[in-house]
Amino acid sequence: MASGGGAGAVVFYPADRDLSAWCERHAAGSAPDRWPYGLDRLDAHLPRVTAKNFPPASPVTRVARRLAAVVPPMRRAGRPAGVTWDENAGSLLSTTNGLSARYSGVVWLTDSVARRGAAPFRTMRRAMRRMDGLWVLSDAQVAPLADFLGPGAPPVHYVRFGVDHDFFRPAPYPERPLVVSVGGDRDRDPETMLRAMATVRRARPDVDIVVQSKTTLAPPAGVTVIPYLTHVELRGLYARASVVVLATRPNLHVSGMTVGLEAMATGRPLVITRTPGMDDYFGGTSAAHLVDVGDADALGRETLALLEDPESAAAEGGLARAHVEAGFTTAHLAARIAGVIAGR
């Protein structure tokens, strides 16, 4: 496979991800990193890194992409490499011309194939096979993705995720106890989370609990559920939290790692479900407490233990921040992706 990046790189985002608005929010201090996922930090490793949105879909662009998909991808020497964050944007990149090479992350595809079989994803398989390199955020995804793509596919690299530790900065440990849970992706487990929070409230009715989720389940008494938070609101909630708690269903893409790392960057201990790949992110620090999938009792028990010993929880928060700084920032992430692009 060809390696790219010598002539720079163009990072492509979907048309509905308003890149200009994101940059403006970042400049105003209300969004992490200059570009989503910190891919602006590729410029520390590759020359001439730019970003742009894919054009909005239209009948003309749809026909052009269908035609491009039936011919081998063209690679133009001396042109920049194309980069996308996930397979959905990567499918558009696969038929984008004028590039020396194409690289994409893959986030959800391995779980989708595991649950529904390979047949519904033949088109995505063809698109990913047109890439020059792929990366995943969990080592548990490497073999399943390689098997799905088959012989002759581009190499699949494991790249650890990272967060903007400048935006999610340390905050003093709070005096008032607050438990926080954040996230509503398809692999969160709100039922287990709410059962665990009911246990916490029965034992500690003085503790406030805030769960950000789009669940339609009725929350237990004393638990506040909110559907959405801006980045600034999220940062403020982490700063007020005593402990951040996450429950997920079985999955391969490490659902919850973003929130877990953001909370730890803020200096908060974490209680989180152990799924494949989770130990690579949180197994190396005593500031993260991992419990089995679906175990609401363990989730509640670990949370209560931290609430009962705020001095130790605050100390764990310091370890949590150090853990992120040591290897889980967007600067680390960009360096790892740059290595994929450079063929290292």
Side-chain angles (χ1 to χ4, degrees), residues 1 3 15-16 19 31 37 51 68-69 106 124 149 151 177 201 215-216 225 254 259 262 270 284 319:
M1 293 291 178
S3 62
D16 59 0
L19 187 59
Y37 311 108
V106 173
M124 184 64 76
L149 296 177
R201 276 289 297 187
T215 181
T216 58
V225 175
V254 201
V259 171
E262 290 170 352
L270 178 69
L319 296 175

Side-chain angles (χ1 to χ4, degrees), residues 95-239:
T95 54
T96 299
N97 294 319
L99 300 169
S100 62
R102 297 164 183 82
Y103 300 89
S104 181
V106 173
V107 180
W108 302 280
L109 182 57
T110 51
D111 285 304
S112 297
V113 170
R115 292 163 185 168
R116 298 175 57 193
F121 304 100
R122 289 192 296 265
T123 300
M124 184 64 76
R125 180 178 183 272
R126 287 194 295 269
M128 294 301 97
R129 286 179 60 87
R130 293 169 66 89
M131 299 293 108
D132 292 274
L134 299 166
W135 72 83
V136 292
L137 302 175
S138 166
D139 60 355
Q141 293 177 287
V142 174
L145 181 58
D147 289 345
F148 170 69
L149 296 177
V156 178
H157 304 265
Y158 165 44
V159 170
R160 289 191 303 181
F161 187 65
V163 297
D164 185 350
H165 69 304
D166 296 318
F167 184 85
F168 295 102
R169 48 187 178 263
Y173 195 76
E175 294 184 4
R176 182 173 179 174
L178 171 66
V179 176
V180 167
S181 182
V182 173
D185 75 39
R186 65 192 74 176
D187 289 308
R188 291 296 207 274
D189 185 356
E191 182 178 0
T192 296
M193 169 58 62
L194 294 177
R195 284 196 289 120
M197 294 304 96
T199 298
V200 172
R201 276 289 297 187
R202 284 195 296 269
R204 289 287 304 270
D206 61 311
V207 173
D208 294 326
I209 301 174
V210 175
V211 176
Q212 183 270 309
S213 173
K214 295 180 181 179
T215 181
T216 58
L217 296 173
V223 177
T224 301
V225 175
I226 53 178
Y228 175 79
L229 292 165
T230 67
H231 283 107
V232 171
E233 290 169 340
L234 178 60
R235 182 174 60 186
L237 188 61
Y238 290 146

Side-chain angles (χ1 to χ4, degrees), residues 181-183 185 187-194 196 245-249 251 255-256 271-275 291-296 299:
S181 182
V182 173
D185 75 39
D187 289 308
R188 291 296 207 274
D189 185 356
E191 182 178 0
T192 296
M193 169 58 62
L194 294 177
V245 185
L246 303 175
T248 67
R249 302 183 179 99
N251 70 92
S255 173
V271 181
I272 190 168
T273 301
R274 175 182 276 113
T275 55
V291 306
D292 291 339
V293 171
D295 194 338
L299 208 66

